[in-house]
Structures are given as structure tokens and as C-alpha cells.
Amino acid sequence: MLRVYRIKAQASKNTLKIRGYPGIIIKKSFLQSLKRFSCKTTSKEAFCKTCSNAESCAYASVASPNSKLKPFIIEPLVVSKRKGIIFNLIVLGKALSYEYQIIASLLNMELLGAKMKIESIKCHDPAEKKSMSVFNEVKGYTPSQRLHKSVDILKVFMKRAKALTSKRPSSITLTFKTPTRIIANGKLYFTPPLDAIISLTSSRYANLAKTFAIGGQLDSNKIEQTLKLIKEISMIATCNVRKLTLDIKRSSSITTLRFMTGSVTYSLAPPKDIKAFQLALTILLIGKLIHVGEMTTAGCGKYSVELAY
């Protein structure tokens, strides 16, 4: 299971100073706030891996500093003077048990040294299509416990994929809405083949499902058959992408990485194995939520899916 929290805050002089892609700085600010609120140790040199409080600590569980796999994703949506700052925080599986600490950390977030003024936080369950307010300036915090029902998102999106394939799609368009960095078989792609997207997304989902219990496990044999099918029936028809670079600070150095945004349309031949095709579409639909490629926790690799018949 997973939940999407939409945070709306007032704009300030500091937030309007954000340049380039805002997901990186929002992610950093959220984790800093979560650590200030949750961490019980007084040692500056303490590590979550050796901390006696780690098992009950929201920061250790949500930030997962000892692992590259994180149970959250930041999705920046708007940063403007008129609309303020709006972003999604997607929380996965077991990390939802720390909702109170997560909301408290959001309410105490600082961006570029200034505390954010949160106006509202709404919680959405994309599997059951239910939403509720968990924070506003009048009522304060309202726990979203009534939404916390364990749902297997693999089964949910498999049903949606079956409905979408009642007619045979002639093409599929992926629009990469945030900077996306796709590396498959050691190659950096700016126009990635469809099977590479599905392969990376299925691997990411499998790891998230195993680690954070967000849904059922994928069958590796069926994935192999699906990738073979997609490689056979899909072809890049049109491509409208833009290359861009982001400066990523790592430790004491800055690394410049290349990304892309934009859309790629793939033509589709009639699939010989409809179930394998439905599994491919299921993975693509799940990928809309969990993102694909590198730096997904900062919101990179967000895409939409559009079918043409």
C-alpha cells in the first residue's frame, strides 16, 4: 500500500529563490526536519545502523540512511509567488505507521533557512481512490487511519490494465514530467526503449514490495516473458525530449549529471500474449507512482501514460 500526501504552503522570499529542479532541496529539507523531530540521540557521530533506537525511530525507518531504497518519494508540483509551493510526498508501506511524525516534520520544515507556512495537507489513496484532509489551519492534524487499509497495489493495477486492454492499443506515449535519468545495460538513454523502462520499473517495484510491503511479488519468469514480448512488438515512433543537466552535491564534491524530460511515443504491434502485455501495462501504471530511473526519492523519473487505440 501507499499514500500520496499533497502539501500546500505559502510562498516566501526564500522559497522563490529556488533555482532549477526543486525536488532535491525539498527532499533534503524534509529529511532534516524529520531528523530534528525524531532522532533521540545526542551524539553528532551516531549512525542509524548502530543506534539502539533505530527500530522505533521515524527517521531511521523513513529516511533509511543505510539503504539506497527509500519508502518515500517527493514530487514537486508548483513553486510560484501566486500559487505558493505545492508538492506531493508519497509514503510507501510500513513507513505509513509514522504518519504523525511525518506530518509534524512537514509542519516544521525549513526551505533555504525559512520555516514553511503550511496551509493544508491532503492524503490520497490511489488504489482505492479515496482522499481526506489530514491538516488545515482551522482543525489542525487529523489522522488518516480510516484510509490505512492494506491494499495490494499489484492486484489493483492489474485490474486497471485489463480494463485498458479490452481494446488493442496501437501506441503508448510516456511523458517524462520531471528530470529522468535512465541507465540500462550500462548505457544512458535519452530515448529509452519501452522494454528498458519496464525492466527498470519492475525491478524497482519488486525491491519496494519486498522491503516495504507495498504489494504482491512479481513472477520473474513472467517478467522475462513480458520483456521479450515488449521488445518484439514496440518501436519508438516519435520522440520529443529535451536534454538537461543537474548539479548534484555528493559529500564535498559536485557532480553534473545528464537527464531528460519530454515525451516518447511507441508504436505497438498486436501482442501474441495478451496476459504478458497486461503485465507490462500494470508495471507502467505502478511506475507512475513509484517513478523510474535514478534519484526517484527526489521526484526524478515521474511520467504519465497515454494509450491510443
Side-chain angles (χ1 to χ4, degrees):
M1 62 179 179
L2 56 81
R3 301 288 181 269
V4 181
Y5 294 86
R6 176 157 297 184
I7 298 93
K8 186 178 187 304
Q10 294 179 6
S12 68
K13 291 182 179 179
N14 288 52
T15 56
L16 295 176
K17 291 179 183 177
I18 296 176
R19 295 292 179 266
Y21 178 64
I24 297 170
I25 192 169
I26 294 174
K27 172 193 169 183
K28 181 179 179 181
S29 300
F30 166 65
L31 291 180
Q32 286 174 340
S33 182
L34 183 63
K35 187 170 186 179
R36 285 195 303 269
F37 184 82
S38 305
C39 186
K40 298 177 182 179
T41 182
T42 56
S43 172
K44 293 183 179 180
E45 297 181 357
F47 294 95
C48 295
K49 191 174 183 178
T50 57
C51 180
S52 59
N53 298 314
E55 289 188 6
S56 60
C57 176
Y59 177 75
S61 299
V62 176
S64 297
N66 302 315
S67 171
K68 291 184 178 181
L69 201 63
K70 317 289 184 184
F72 75 92
I73 299 163
I74 295 287
E75 286 185 346
L77 302 175
V78 176
V79 178
S80 73
K81 185 176 182 180
R82 185 171 66 88
K83 294 184 178 181
I85 179 167
I86 303 172
F87 64 95
N88 288 338
L89 172 64
I90 302 175
V91 183
L92 310 174
K94 299 174 184 177
L96 284 165
S97 62
Y98 294 100
E99 182 187 77
Y100 170 75
Q101 292 89 335
I102 290 170
I103 300 300
S105 301
L106 290 168
L107 295 175
N108 288 281
M109 268 181 65
E110 295 180 358
L111 275 180
L112 300 177
K115 184 177 178 181
M116 291 177 58
K117 175 66 174 175
I118 305 291
E119 294 180 346
S120 65
I121 303 176
K122 294 182 179 179
C123 178
H124 175 66
D125 180 344
E128 296 199 325
K129 297 183 179 180
K130 294 180 180 178
S131 300
M132 69 170 288
S133 171
V134 293
F135 174 82
N136 61 52
E137 294 178 294
V138 177
K139 294 184 178 180
Y141 170 57
T142 303
S144 66
Q145 291 177 350
R146 69 181 180 85
L147 293 182
H148 285 186
K149 178 182 176 182
S150 182
V151 176
D152 185 341
I153 66 170
L154 183 60
K155 290 183 178 179
V156 169
F157 285 100
M158 178 62 82
K159 288 182 180 178
R160 293 181 189 177
K162 287 181 179 179
L164 290 171
T165 54
S166 58
K167 294 182 180 179
R168 186 184 71 80
S170 59
S171 69
I172 185 166
T173 299
L174 302 184
T175 300
F176 299 94
K177 298 186 173 185
T178 59
T180 302
R181 183 173 167 86
I182 300 295
I183 296 178
N185 300 318
K187 180 181 177 181
L188 174 64
Y189 285 96
F190 293 106
T191 54
L194 189 57
D195 61 291
I197 297 293
I198 294 171
S199 176
L200 289 172
T201 306
S202 63
S203 178
R204 174 164 164 75
Y205 169 78
N207 289 329
L208 289 171
K210 182 179 180 180
T211 307
F212 304 116
I214 66 171
Q217 285 292 328
L218 293 168
D219 185 312
S220 58
N221 291 327
K222 290 182 179 179
I223 290 296
E224 188 176 339
Q225 294 169 7
T226 296
L227 293 176
K228 183 179 179 181
L229 173 74
I230 295 301
K231 198 168 185 177
E232 291 174 351
I233 69 169
S234 67
M235 180 182 298
I236 295 175
T238 61
C239 178
N240 183 20
V241 300
R242 180 174 69 92
K243 298 178 184 179
L244 66 154
T245 60
L246 294 179
D247 292 331
I248 312 300
K249 187 174 182 180
R250 291 176 174 171
S251 299
S252 58
S253 62
I254 295 178
T255 303
T256 300
L257 298 177
R258 293 183 294 168
F259 293 77
M260 65 89 170
T261 58
S263 61
V264 182
T265 297
Y266 306 88
S267 60
L268 300 171
K272 297 177 182 178
D273 186 341
I274 189 62
K275 288 188 177 181
F277 181 72
Q278 288 171 347
L279 179 55
L281 186 55
T282 300
I283 292 166
L284 288 173
L285 293 177
I286 292 174
K288 290 172 58 179
L289 291 168
I290 65 173
H291 297 207
V292 65
E294 297 189 356
M295 295 176 55
T296 49
T297 53
C300 293
K302 176 180 174 61
Y303 65 84
S304 62
V305 179
E306 183 178 353
L307 298 174
Y309 297 91

